[in-house]
């Protein structure tokens, strides 16, 4: 194979890979929701974590909850049917809104990283994320928003 053909083939392979990744991402289940504010709690049905495929029920690892009354979204991670963590998606360094990448949250401004329990992993942030108490009651997740 000549150099020109090799470069052309590699270029098409890269473009195909990028296109396939975009296609697969668009097929993934939506991981956002809003919930309902009831008193001082943000309430989310447990069924918001459910998804299905091939006749089987699966669970999303996390949900990002956006609500008009909140300045920042809250990311809720599901560890098992009774254990969840709810994290304020504001970087503790300078307050930029965090982005979720699987089991970590990352600051697009300066690169701080936090794990799925809100613990700071890499700076420049030097404190953990704000977490919210979570209880499971009547097939709902209740996230206490006191003093938001």
């Amino acid at each position: 194979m000549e150099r020109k053909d090799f470069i052309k083939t590699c270029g098409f392979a890269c473009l195909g890979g990028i296109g396939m990744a975009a296609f697969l991402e668009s097929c993934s289940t939506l991981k956002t929701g809003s919930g309902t504010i009831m008193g001082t709690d943000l309430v989310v049905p447990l069924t918001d974590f459910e998804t299905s495929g091939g006749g089987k029920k699966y669970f999303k690892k996390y949900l990002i909850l956006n609500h008009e009354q909140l300045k920042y979204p809250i990311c809720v991670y599901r560890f098992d049917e009774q254990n969840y963590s709810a994290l304020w998606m504001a970087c503790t360094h300078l307050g930029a809104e965090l982005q979720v990448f699987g089991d970590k949250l990352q600051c697009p401004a300066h690169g701080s990283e936090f794990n799925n329990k809100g613990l700071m992993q890499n700076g420049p942030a030097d404190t953990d994320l704000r977490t919210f108490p979570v209880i499971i009651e009547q097939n709902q997740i209740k996230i206490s928003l006191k003093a938001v």
Side-chain angles (χ1 to χ4, degrees):
M1 179 181 283
E2 291 186 27
R3 183 173 185 264
K4 183 178 175 183
D5 292 331
F6 176 77
I7 292 172
K8 186 191 288 186
T9 303
C10 289
F12 285 128
C14 288
L15 289 174
I18 291 168
M20 183 58 80
F23 173 73
L24 291 174
E25 181 68 27
S26 69
C27 293
S28 68
T29 57
L30 192 60
K31 294 187 177 186
T32 61
S34 61
T36 304
I37 293 185
M38 299 173 119
T40 59
D41 295 333
L42 178 59
V43 181
V44 182
L46 285 173
T47 54
D48 282 7
F49 276 92
E50 294 178 7
T51 185
S52 60
K56 293 184 180 181
K57 183 167 46 170
Y58 299 97
F59 295 93
K60 300 171 191 169
K61 280 184 160 187
Y62 64 88
L63 282 178
I64 299 171
L65 304 175
N66 291 295
H67 196 282
E68 61 193 27
Q69 293 181 15
L70 299 175
K71 183 175 180 179
Y72 293 98
I74 294 174
C75 184
V76 181
Y77 278 97
R78 181 186 190 276
F79 301 107
D80 60 45
E81 62 185 61
Q82 291 298 317
N83 294 300
Y84 295 81
S85 68
L87 311 171
W88 192 238
M89 291 181 63
C91 183
T92 57
H93 176 232
L94 293 177
E97 186 174 313
L98 300 173
Q99 298 173 336
V100 181
F101 296 98
D103 284 336
K104 69 179 179 179
L105 293 96
Q106 187 175 50
C107 178
H110 299 107
S112 295
E113 290 185 3
F114 304 87
N115 70 13
N116 58 10
K117 295 196 181 211
L119 302 176
M120 193 273 301
Q121 303 295 296
N122 292 312
D126 59 359
T127 56
D128 298 336
L129 294 179
R130 170 149 189 228
T131 60
F132 299 92
V134 176
I135 59 170
I136 310 301
E137 200 173 80
Q138 299 174 0
N139 292 321
Q140 295 180 328
I141 299 169
K142 291 186 177 182
I143 302 163
S144 177
L145 298 177
K146 291 181 182 174
V148 168

